[in-house]
Amino acid sequence: LCVDKTGTLTENRMVIRKLYSGGQMLQVDSHSPLPEPWHELVEFGILASERAPFDPMERALHELGKRTLGGSEHLHEDWELVHEYSLSPELLAMSHVWQGNGQPHHLVAAKGAPEAIIDLCHLPEAEARAIEQVSAEMADQGLRVLGVARAKLEPGQKAEQRWPAQQHDIEFYFVGLLGLQDPLRPGAAEAIAQSHAAGIRVVMITGDHARTAQAIAR
């Protein structure tokens, strides 16, 4: 019996549980305020999302931002989205280019698979390995992990070609990692146990990181 993970074994209802930035990890709950060191991570995660999101991960980001950053300078409802780089099989990351009020430059926000964001940021090997280790530990806890990066495009960078041809042409800086929890669907474990009792082997199919899938399977 082959079953999808997201939305079948789990509820497909994302909640942000952990934030990693500047070498520090923050456990997130549903009522505590968000300390200043993690404001930028949530800010650029939202900027890398759709304005009216339907994706559960993006909705979780918007909900956290609305609850913790409302009334601050970190939410930008009046900014204009001027360009977008989509996910591709070659690079599992997306970027949004924004024009802020009165700014001579554009700000770019990227989010995606941690390894893709690390690649975009051209991090030193030791720093890249450290972030990959943190990402793996978060995945081992059953969290879906996203990396976030930021960049600035100066006017001179888009003279002949308005936007860089690809995301790799942009000088990104690593902001942090988001850890999202998708709760196990009630009854899923019992249904698998019944299948096993009937002699049916159950196989999970997912596009998630293997370590995230293994944690859910356990």
Side-chain angles (χ1 to χ4, degrees), residues 91-159:
L91 183 66
L92 296 178
M94 61 178 293
S95 296
H96 284 167
V97 183
W98 295 91
Q99 175 65 63
N101 292 333
Q103 292 179 343
H105 56 264
H106 295 87
L107 286 178
V108 190
K111 76 176 191 312
E115 59 271 20
I117 295 299
I118 289 170
D119 185 29
L120 279 179
C121 294
H122 305 291
L123 296 174
E125 185 176 348
E127 186 177 352
R129 282 202 308 267
I131 294 171
E132 287 168 353
Q133 179 61 35
V134 172
S135 174
E137 292 171 357
M138 294 168 72
D140 284 343
Q141 299 165 29
L143 299 176
R144 182 177 290 187
V145 186
L146 289 176
V148 176
R150 61 175 176 83
K152 183 187 291 185
L153 287 179
E154 300 292 348
Q157 293 179 258
K158 53 183 191 305

Short mmCIF file of all heavy atoms in Angstrom, two decimals, residues 91-159:
data_model
loop_
_atom_site.label_atom_id
_atom_site.label_comp_id
_atom_site.label_asym_id
_atom_site.label_seq_id
_atom_site.Cartn_x
_atom_site.Cartn_y
_atom_site.Cartn_z
N LEU A 91 17.29 24.10 -9.45
CA LEU A 91 17.49 24.90 -8.24
C LEU A 91 16.17 24.99 -7.49
O LEU A 91 15.25 25.68 -7.92
CB LEU A 91 18.01 26.29 -8.59
CG LEU A 91 18.33 27.20 -7.39
CD1 LEU A 91 19.52 26.63 -6.60
CD2 LEU A 91 18.63 28.61 -7.84
N LEU A 92 16.11 24.31 -6.35
CA LEU A 92 14.87 24.27 -5.57
C LEU A 92 14.79 25.49 -4.65
O LEU A 92 14.77 25.38 -3.42
CB LEU A 92 14.79 22.97 -4.77
CG LEU A 92 14.72 21.69 -5.60
CD1 LEU A 92 14.71 20.46 -4.70
CD2 LEU A 92 13.48 21.70 -6.51
N ALA A 93 14.74 26.66 -5.27
CA ALA A 93 14.61 27.92 -4.54
C ALA A 93 13.87 28.91 -5.42
O ALA A 93 13.91 28.82 -6.66
CB ALA A 93 15.97 28.47 -4.15
N MET A 94 13.16 29.83 -4.78
CA MET A 94 12.45 30.89 -5.50
C MET A 94 12.82 32.23 -4.90
O MET A 94 13.17 32.32 -3.72
CB MET A 94 10.93 30.67 -5.43
CG MET A 94 10.36 30.70 -4.03
SD MET A 94 8.57 30.50 -3.99
CE MET A 94 8.03 32.02 -4.77
N SER A 95 12.76 33.29 -5.72
CA SER A 95 13.12 34.62 -5.25
C SER A 95 12.11 35.64 -5.73
O SER A 95 11.59 35.54 -6.84
CB SER A 95 14.52 35.01 -5.76
OG SER A 95 15.50 34.16 -5.24
N HIS A 96 11.87 36.64 -4.89
CA HIS A 96 11.03 37.79 -5.24
C HIS A 96 11.88 39.05 -5.17
O HIS A 96 12.64 39.24 -4.21
CB HIS A 96 9.86 37.91 -4.27
CG HIS A 96 8.78 36.92 -4.51
ND1 HIS A 96 7.76 36.69 -3.60
CD2 HIS A 96 8.53 36.10 -5.55
CE1 HIS A 96 6.93 35.77 -4.08
NE2 HIS A 96 7.40 35.39 -5.26
N VAL A 97 11.74 39.91 -6.18
CA VAL A 97 12.43 41.20 -6.22
C VAL A 97 11.41 42.28 -5.90
O VAL A 97 10.36 42.38 -6.54
CB VAL A 97 13.07 41.45 -7.60
CG1 VAL A 97 13.85 42.76 -7.58
CG2 VAL A 97 13.98 40.29 -7.99
N TRP A 98 11.73 43.11 -4.91
CA TRP A 98 10.79 44.11 -4.41
C TRP A 98 11.32 45.53 -4.60
O TRP A 98 12.52 45.78 -4.44
CB TRP A 98 10.51 43.89 -2.92
CG TRP A 98 9.82 42.60 -2.62
CD1 TRP A 98 10.41 41.39 -2.34
CD2 TRP A 98 8.42 42.37 -2.58
NE1 TRP A 98 9.46 40.44 -2.12
CE2 TRP A 98 8.23 41.00 -2.26
CE3 TRP A 98 7.30 43.18 -2.77
CZ2 TRP A 98 6.96 40.44 -2.13
CZ3 TRP A 98 6.04 42.62 -2.64
CH2 TRP A 98 5.88 41.27 -2.33
N GLN A 99 10.38 46.44 -4.87
CA GLN A 99 10.67 47.88 -4.89
C GLN A 99 10.01 48.50 -3.67
O GLN A 99 8.77 48.49 -3.55
CB GLN A 99 10.15 48.53 -6.16
CG GLN A 99 10.31 50.05 -6.20
CD GLN A 99 11.77 50.48 -6.22
OE1 GLN A 99 12.50 50.19 -7.15
NE2 GLN A 99 12.19 51.18 -5.17
N GLY A 100 10.83 49.01 -2.75
CA GLY A 100 10.29 49.65 -1.57
C GLY A 100 10.03 51.12 -1.81
O GLY A 100 10.48 51.70 -2.81
N ASN A 101 9.33 51.74 -0.92
CA ASN A 101 9.00 53.16 -1.05
C ASN A 101 10.25 54.02 -0.95
O ASN A 101 10.93 54.03 0.08
CB ASN A 101 8.00 53.57 0.04
CG ASN A 101 6.65 52.93 -0.17
OD1 ASN A 101 6.28 52.62 -1.30
ND2 ASN A 101 5.91 52.73 0.90
N GLY A 102 10.56 54.76 -2.02
CA GLY A 102 11.66 55.70 -2.00
C GLY A 102 13.05 55.10 -2.02
O GLY A 102 14.03 55.81 -1.85
N GLN A 103 13.16 53.79 -2.21
CA GLN A 103 14.48 53.16 -2.21
C GLN A 103 15.08 53.18 -3.61
O GLN A 103 14.40 52.80 -4.57
CB GLN A 103 14.37 51.71 -1.72
CG GLN A 103 14.00 51.57 -0.25
CD GLN A 103 13.88 50.12 0.17
OE1 GLN A 103 13.78 49.23 -0.66
NE2 GLN A 103 13.89 49.88 1.47
N PRO A 104 16.35 53.56 -3.75
CA PRO A 104 16.97 53.55 -5.08
C PRO A 104 17.31 52.14 -5.54
O PRO A 104 17.51 51.90 -6.73
CB PRO A 104 18.25 54.37 -4.86
CG PRO A 104 18.57 54.18 -3.41
CD PRO A 104 17.23 54.09 -2.71
N HIS A 105 17.40 51.19 -4.60
CA HIS A 105 17.75 49.81 -4.94
C HIS A 105 16.53 48.90 -4.76
O HIS A 105 15.50 49.31 -4.24
CB HIS A 105 18.90 49.33 -4.05
CG HIS A 105 18.59 49.45 -2.58
ND1 HIS A 105 18.98 50.53 -1.83
CD2 HIS A 105 17.91 48.63 -1.74
CE1 HIS A 105 18.56 50.38 -0.58
NE2 HIS A 105 17.90 49.23 -0.50
N HIS A 106 16.69 47.66 -5.22
CA HIS A 106 15.67 46.64 -5.02
C HIS A 106 16.17 45.63 -3.99
O HIS A 106 17.37 45.35 -3.93
CB HIS A 106 15.34 45.91 -6.33
CG HIS A 106 14.70 46.79 -7.36
ND1 HIS A 106 15.44 47.55 -8.24
CD2 HIS A 106 13.40 47.03 -7.65
CE1 HIS A 106 14.63 48.22 -9.04
NE2 HIS A 106 13.38 47.94 -8.70
N LEU A 107 15.25 45.09 -3.21
CA LEU A 107 15.58 44.02 -2.27
C LEU A 107 15.07 42.70 -2.82
O LEU A 107 13.97 42.63 -3.38
CB LEU A 107 14.97 44.30 -0.90
CG LEU A 107 15.66 45.39 -0.07
CD1 LEU A 107 14.93 45.61 1.24
CD2 LEU A 107 17.12 45.03 0.20
N VAL A 108 15.88 41.66 -2.64
CA VAL A 108 15.54 40.33 -3.14
C VAL A 108 15.43 39.39 -1.94
O VAL A 108 16.30 39.38 -1.06
CB VAL A 108 16.59 39.80 -4.12
CG1 VAL A 108 16.09 38.53 -4.80
CG2 VAL A 108 16.95 40.86 -5.16
N ALA A 109 14.37 38.60 -1.91
CA ALA A 109 14.17 37.60 -0.86
C ALA A 109 14.05 36.23 -1.51
O ALA A 109 13.31 36.06 -2.48
CB ALA A 109 12.90 37.91 -0.06
N ALA A 110 14.81 35.27 -0.99
CA ALA A 110 14.79 33.91 -1.54
C ALA A 110 14.49 32.92 -0.43
O ALA A 110 14.88 33.10 0.72
CB ALA A 110 16.14 33.57 -2.18
N LYS A 111 13.77 31.86 -0.79
CA LYS A 111 13.56 30.76 0.14
C LYS A 111 13.51 29.46 -0.66
O LYS A 111 13.17 29.46 -1.84
CB LYS A 111 12.29 30.94 0.98
CG LYS A 111 10.98 30.65 0.28
CD LYS A 111 9.83 30.77 1.27
CE LYS A 111 8.51 30.26 0.74
NZ LYS A 111 8.12 30.70 -0.60
N GLY A 112 13.87 28.36 0.01
CA GLY A 112 13.86 27.08 -0.68
C GLY A 112 14.55 26.01 0.14
O GLY A 112 14.78 26.18 1.35
N ALA A 113 14.87 24.91 -0.51
CA ALA A 113 15.58 23.83 0.17
C ALA A 113 16.89 24.37 0.74
O ALA A 113 17.57 25.17 0.09
CB ALA A 113 15.87 22.70 -0.82
N PRO A 114 17.25 23.98 1.97
CA PRO A 114 18.46 24.52 2.58
C PRO A 114 19.69 24.38 1.70
O PRO A 114 20.50 25.31 1.61
CB PRO A 114 18.59 23.71 3.87
CG PRO A 114 17.18 23.34 4.22
CD PRO A 114 16.49 23.09 2.90
N GLU A 115 19.85 23.23 1.02
CA GLU A 115 21.03 23.05 0.19
C GLU A 115 21.05 24.01 -1.00
O GLU A 115 22.11 24.45 -1.45
CB GLU A 115 21.13 21.60 -0.29
CG GLU A 115 19.96 21.10 -1.11
CD GLU A 115 18.84 20.48 -0.28
OE1 GLU A 115 18.77 20.75 0.94
OE2 GLU A 115 18.05 19.72 -0.86
N ALA A 116 19.84 24.35 -1.50
CA ALA A 116 19.76 25.31 -2.61
C ALA A 116 20.12 26.72 -2.14
O ALA A 116 20.82 27.46 -2.84
CB ALA A 116 18.36 25.30 -3.22
N ILE A 117 19.65 27.11 -0.96
CA ILE A 117 19.96 28.43 -0.42
C ILE A 117 21.44 28.53 -0.08
O ILE A 117 22.09 29.56 -0.34
CB ILE A 117 19.08 28.71 0.83
CG1 ILE A 117 17.60 28.78 0.43
CG2 ILE A 117 19.52 30.00 1.50
CD1 ILE A 117 17.26 29.88 -0.56
N ILE A 118 22.01 27.47 0.49
CA ILE A 118 23.45 27.45 0.76
C ILE A 118 24.23 27.64 -0.53
O ILE A 118 25.21 28.39 -0.59
CB ILE A 118 23.83 26.13 1.46
CG1 ILE A 118 23.28 26.11 2.89
CG2 ILE A 118 25.34 25.93 1.47
CD1 ILE A 118 23.40 24.77 3.57
N ASP A 119 23.79 26.97 -1.58
CA ASP A 119 24.44 27.09 -2.89
C ASP A 119 24.35 28.52 -3.42
O ASP A 119 25.33 29.07 -3.93
CB ASP A 119 23.78 26.10 -3.86
CG ASP A 119 24.47 26.07 -5.22
OD1 ASP A 119 25.68 26.31 -5.29
OD2 ASP A 119 23.78 25.80 -6.22
N LEU A 120 23.18 29.14 -3.28
CA LEU A 120 23.00 30.50 -3.77
C LEU A 120 23.90 31.49 -3.03
O LEU A 120 24.35 32.49 -3.60
CB LEU A 120 21.54 30.94 -3.60
CG LEU A 120 20.53 30.50 -4.65
CD1 LEU A 120 19.14 31.00 -4.29
CD2 LEU A 120 20.92 31.00 -6.04
N CYS A 121 24.16 31.21 -1.76
CA CYS A 121 24.93 32.15 -0.95
C CYS A 121 26.44 31.94 -1.05
O CYS A 121 27.20 32.75 -0.51
CB CYS A 121 24.50 32.04 0.52
SG CYS A 121 22.80 32.55 0.83
N HIS A 122 26.87 30.87 -1.74
CA HIS A 122 28.30 30.60 -1.92
C HIS A 122 29.05 30.68 -0.60
O HIS A 122 30.07 31.36 -0.47
CB HIS A 122 28.90 31.58 -2.93
CG HIS A 122 28.19 31.58 -4.25
ND1 HIS A 122 28.24 30.53 -5.14
CD2 HIS A 122 27.39 32.50 -4.84
CE1 HIS A 122 27.52 30.80 -6.22
NE2 HIS A 122 26.99 31.99 -6.06
N LEU A 123 28.52 29.96 0.40
CA LEU A 123 29.10 30.01 1.74
C LEU A 123 30.42 29.26 1.80
O LEU A 123 30.64 28.29 1.06
CB LEU A 123 28.12 29.40 2.74
CG LEU A 123 26.79 30.13 2.91
CD1 LEU A 123 25.86 29.33 3.81
CD2 LEU A 123 27.01 31.52 3.48
N PRO A 124 31.32 29.68 2.70
CA PRO A 124 32.54 28.89 2.94
C PRO A 124 32.17 27.47 3.35
O PRO A 124 31.13 27.24 3.98
CB PRO A 124 33.23 29.65 4.07
CG PRO A 124 32.67 31.03 4.02
CD PRO A 124 31.26 30.89 3.52
N GLU A 125 33.04 26.53 3.05
CA GLU A 125 32.73 25.12 3.26
C GLU A 125 32.37 24.81 4.71
O GLU A 125 31.41 24.10 4.99
CB GLU A 125 33.90 24.25 2.82
CG GLU A 125 33.60 22.76 2.89
CD GLU A 125 34.75 21.91 2.36
OE1 GLU A 125 35.67 22.48 1.74
OE2 GLU A 125 34.72 20.69 2.58
N ALA A 126 33.13 25.36 5.65
CA ALA A 126 32.87 25.07 7.06
C ALA A 126 31.51 25.60 7.49
O ALA A 126 30.75 24.92 8.20
CB ALA A 126 33.96 25.68 7.93
N GLU A 127 31.16 26.81 7.06
CA GLU A 127 29.87 27.39 7.41
C GLU A 127 28.74 26.61 6.76
O GLU A 127 27.70 26.35 7.39
CB GLU A 127 29.81 28.85 6.98
CG GLU A 127 28.55 29.57 7.42
CD GLU A 127 28.54 31.04 7.03
OE1 GLU A 127 29.57 31.54 6.55
OE2 GLU A 127 27.49 31.69 7.21
N ALA A 128 28.94 26.20 5.50
CA ALA A 128 27.92 25.42 4.80
C ALA A 128 27.67 24.09 5.52
O ALA A 128 26.52 23.67 5.71
CB ALA A 128 28.34 25.18 3.36
N ARG A 129 28.75 23.43 5.94
CA ARG A 129 28.61 22.14 6.63
C ARG A 129 27.86 22.32 7.96
O ARG A 129 27.04 21.48 8.34
CB ARG A 129 29.97 21.51 6.88
CG ARG A 129 30.58 20.85 5.66
CD ARG A 129 31.62 19.80 6.06
NE ARG A 129 32.60 20.35 6.99
CZ ARG A 129 33.77 20.87 6.62
NH1 ARG A 129 34.08 20.93 5.34
NH2 ARG A 129 34.61 21.34 7.53
N ALA A 130 28.16 23.40 8.67
CA ALA A 130 27.50 23.64 9.96
C ALA A 130 26.00 23.85 9.77
O ALA A 130 25.18 23.31 10.54
CB ALA A 130 28.12 24.85 10.65
N ILE A 131 25.62 24.61 8.75
CA ILE A 131 24.20 24.85 8.48
C ILE A 131 23.52 23.57 8.02
O ILE A 131 22.38 23.27 8.42
CB ILE A 131 24.04 25.98 7.45
CG1 ILE A 131 24.53 27.30 8.03
CG2 ILE A 131 22.58 26.11 7.01
CD1 ILE A 131 24.63 28.42 7.02
N GLU A 132 24.20 22.79 7.21
CA GLU A 132 23.64 21.51 6.76
C GLU A 132 23.39 20.58 7.94
O GLU A 132 22.39 19.86 7.98
CB GLU A 132 24.58 20.85 5.75
CG GLU A 132 24.60 21.52 4.39
CD GLU A 132 25.73 21.04 3.51
OE1 GLU A 132 26.59 20.26 4.02
OE2 GLU A 132 25.77 21.42 2.33
N GLN A 133 24.30 20.60 8.93
CA GLN A 133 24.13 19.77 10.11
C GLN A 133 22.92 20.21 10.93
O GLN A 133 22.12 19.38 11.39
CB GLN A 133 25.39 19.83 10.98
CG GLN A 133 25.32 19.02 12.27
CD GLN A 133 25.12 17.54 12.02
OE1 GLN A 133 25.63 16.99 11.04
NE2 GLN A 133 24.37 16.88 12.89
N VAL A 134 22.75 21.52 11.09
CA VAL A 134 21.59 22.04 11.81
C VAL A 134 20.30 21.66 11.08
O VAL A 134 19.32 21.22 11.68
CB VAL A 134 21.68 23.57 11.97
CG1 VAL A 134 20.37 24.12 12.55
CG2 VAL A 134 22.84 23.94 12.87
N SER A 135 20.31 21.80 9.75
CA SER A 135 19.14 21.45 8.94
C SER A 135 18.79 19.97 9.11
O SER A 135 17.62 19.61 9.24
CB SER A 135 19.42 21.78 7.47
OG SER A 135 18.37 21.32 6.65
N ALA A 136 19.81 19.11 9.10
CA ALA A 136 19.58 17.68 9.26
C ALA A 136 19.00 17.36 10.64
O ALA A 136 18.09 16.53 10.76
CB ALA A 136 20.89 16.92 9.05
N GLU A 137 19.49 18.04 11.67
CA GLU A 137 18.96 17.82 13.02
C GLU A 137 17.51 18.25 13.12
O GLU A 137 16.70 17.60 13.79
CB GLU A 137 19.82 18.57 14.04
CG GLU A 137 21.23 17.99 14.18
CD GLU A 137 22.15 18.87 15.01
OE1 GLU A 137 21.70 19.96 15.44
OE2 GLU A 137 23.31 18.50 15.22
N MET A 138 17.16 19.35 12.46
CA MET A 138 15.77 19.79 12.45
C MET A 138 14.89 18.78 11.71
O MET A 138 13.78 18.47 12.15
CB MET A 138 15.67 21.18 11.81
CG MET A 138 16.34 22.28 12.61
SD MET A 138 16.52 23.85 11.71
CE MET A 138 14.82 24.44 11.67
N ALA A 139 15.39 18.26 10.59
CA ALA A 139 14.64 17.26 9.83
C ALA A 139 14.44 16.00 10.65
O ALA A 139 13.38 15.34 10.56
CB ALA A 139 15.36 16.96 8.52
N ASP A 140 15.44 15.63 11.45
CA ASP A 140 15.32 14.44 12.30
C ASP A 140 14.21 14.58 13.33
O ASP A 140 13.75 13.58 13.89
CB ASP A 140 16.65 14.17 13.01
CG ASP A 140 17.70 13.57 12.09
OD1 ASP A 140 17.32 13.06 11.01
OD2 ASP A 140 18.89 13.61 12.44
N GLN A 141 13.79 15.81 13.59
CA GLN A 141 12.67 16.05 14.51
C GLN A 141 11.33 16.08 13.79
O GLN A 141 10.31 16.43 14.38
CB GLN A 141 12.91 17.38 15.24
CG GLN A 141 14.17 17.39 16.08
CD GLN A 141 14.58 18.80 16.50
OE1 GLN A 141 13.75 19.68 16.65
NE2 GLN A 141 15.88 19.01 16.70
N GLY A 142 11.35 15.71 12.52
CA GLY A 142 10.11 15.67 11.74
C GLY A 142 9.71 17.01 11.15
O GLY A 142 8.59 17.16 10.67
N LEU A 143 10.61 17.99 11.18
CA LEU A 143 10.30 19.32 10.67
C LEU A 143 10.64 19.41 9.18
O LEU A 143 11.62 18.84 8.72
CB LEU A 143 11.08 20.39 11.43
CG LEU A 143 10.82 20.49 12.94
CD1 LEU A 143 11.74 21.52 13.56
CD2 LEU A 143 9.37 20.82 13.22
N ARG A 144 9.82 20.14 8.45
CA ARG A 144 10.16 20.51 7.09
C ARG A 144 11.00 21.78 7.17
O ARG A 144 10.59 22.75 7.81
CB ARG A 144 8.90 20.74 6.25
CG ARG A 144 9.21 21.08 4.79
CD ARG A 144 7.95 21.23 3.98
NE ARG A 144 7.28 19.95 3.79
CZ ARG A 144 6.22 19.78 2.99
NH1 ARG A 144 5.73 20.82 2.34
NH2 ARG A 144 5.67 18.61 2.87
N VAL A 145 12.16 21.78 6.54
CA VAL A 145 13.12 22.86 6.72
C VAL A 145 13.26 23.68 5.44
O VAL A 145 13.41 23.13 4.35
CB VAL A 145 14.51 22.30 7.14
CG1 VAL A 145 15.46 23.45 7.47
CG2 VAL A 145 14.37 21.37 8.34
N LEU A 146 13.21 25.00 5.60
CA LEU A 146 13.42 25.94 4.49
C LEU A 146 14.56 26.88 4.85
O LEU A 146 14.69 27.31 5.99
CB LEU A 146 12.16 26.79 4.24
CG LEU A 146 10.94 26.10 3.63
CD1 LEU A 146 9.79 27.10 3.55
CD2 LEU A 146 11.26 25.56 2.24
N GLY A 147 15.38 27.19 3.84
CA GLY A 147 16.40 28.20 4.01
C GLY A 147 15.91 29.53 3.47
O GLY A 147 15.06 29.58 2.57
N VAL A 148 16.43 30.63 4.01
CA VAL A 148 16.04 31.97 3.59
C VAL A 148 17.31 32.79 3.35
O VAL A 148 18.27 32.71 4.12
CB VAL A 148 15.16 32.67 4.66
CG1 VAL A 148 14.84 34.11 4.25
CG2 VAL A 148 13.88 31.89 4.89
N ALA A 149 17.30 33.59 2.27
CA ALA A 149 18.43 34.45 1.94
C ALA A 149 17.91 35.81 1.49
O ALA A 149 16.74 35.96 1.11
CB ALA A 149 19.30 33.82 0.86
N ARG A 150 18.81 36.79 1.49
CA ARG A 150 18.44 38.14 1.06
C ARG A 150 19.54 38.70 0.16
O ARG A 150 20.69 38.24 0.18
CB ARG A 150 18.25 39.07 2.27
CG ARG A 150 19.50 39.24 3.10
CD ARG A 150 19.32 40.24 4.22
NE ARG A 150 20.49 40.33 5.08
CZ ARG A 150 21.57 41.05 4.81
NH1 ARG A 150 21.63 41.77 3.69
NH2 ARG A 150 22.60 41.06 5.64
N ALA A 151 19.18 39.71 -0.62
CA ALA A 151 20.15 40.37 -1.50
C ALA A 151 19.67 41.77 -1.81
O ALA A 151 18.50 42.11 -1.59
CB ALA A 151 20.35 39.57 -2.78
N LYS A 152 20.60 42.58 -2.33
CA LYS A 152 20.27 43.93 -2.75
C LYS A 152 20.74 44.10 -4.19
O LYS A 152 21.86 43.72 -4.54
CB LYS A 152 20.96 44.95 -1.84
CG LYS A 152 20.63 46.40 -2.15
CD LYS A 152 21.48 47.34 -1.31
CE LYS A 152 21.10 47.27 0.16
NZ LYS A 152 21.84 48.28 0.97
N LEU A 153 19.87 44.64 -5.03
CA LEU A 153 20.23 44.94 -6.42
C LEU A 153 20.32 46.44 -6.58
O LEU A 153 19.33 47.16 -6.42
CB LEU A 153 19.18 44.37 -7.38
CG LEU A 153 19.16 42.85 -7.58
CD1 LEU A 153 18.04 42.47 -8.54
CD2 LEU A 153 20.48 42.35 -8.10
N GLU A 154 21.51 46.92 -6.88
CA GLU A 154 21.71 48.34 -7.10
C GLU A 154 21.31 48.71 -8.53
O GLU A 154 21.33 47.87 -9.43
CB GLU A 154 23.17 48.72 -6.86
CG GLU A 154 23.66 48.43 -5.45
CD GLU A 154 23.02 49.31 -4.39
OE1 GLU A 154 22.36 50.30 -4.77
OE2 GLU A 154 23.18 49.01 -3.20
N PRO A 155 20.95 49.97 -8.77
CA PRO A 155 20.53 50.39 -10.12
C PRO A 155 21.54 50.04 -11.21
O PRO A 155 21.17 49.63 -12.30
CB PRO A 155 20.36 51.91 -9.98
CG PRO A 155 20.07 52.12 -8.54
CD PRO A 155 20.84 51.07 -7.80
N GLY A 156 22.83 50.15 -10.91
CA GLY A 156 23.85 49.87 -11.92
C GLY A 156 23.91 48.42 -12.36
O GLY A 156 24.48 48.11 -13.39
N GLN A 157 23.31 47.51 -11.57
CA GLN A 157 23.37 46.10 -11.88
C GLN A 157 22.37 45.69 -12.95
O GLN A 157 22.35 44.55 -13.37
CB GLN A 157 23.13 45.27 -10.61
CG GLN A 157 24.25 45.40 -9.58
CD GLN A 157 23.96 44.59 -8.34
OE1 GLN A 157 23.55 45.13 -7.33
NE2 GLN A 157 24.13 43.30 -8.43
N LYS A 158 21.51 46.60 -13.37
CA LYS A 158 20.46 46.22 -14.30
C LYS A 158 20.37 47.23 -15.45
O LYS A 158 19.29 47.59 -15.90
CB LYS A 158 19.12 46.09 -13.59
CG LYS A 158 18.70 47.31 -12.76
CD LYS A 158 17.41 47.02 -12.04
CE LYS A 158 16.81 48.25 -11.41
NZ LYS A 158 17.69 48.97 -10.52
N ALA A 159 21.54 47.69 -15.93
CA ALA A 159 21.53 48.70 -16.98
C ALA A 159 21.03 48.15 -18.31
O ALA A 159 20.05 48.64 -18.86
CB ALA A 159 22.94 49.28 -17.13
#
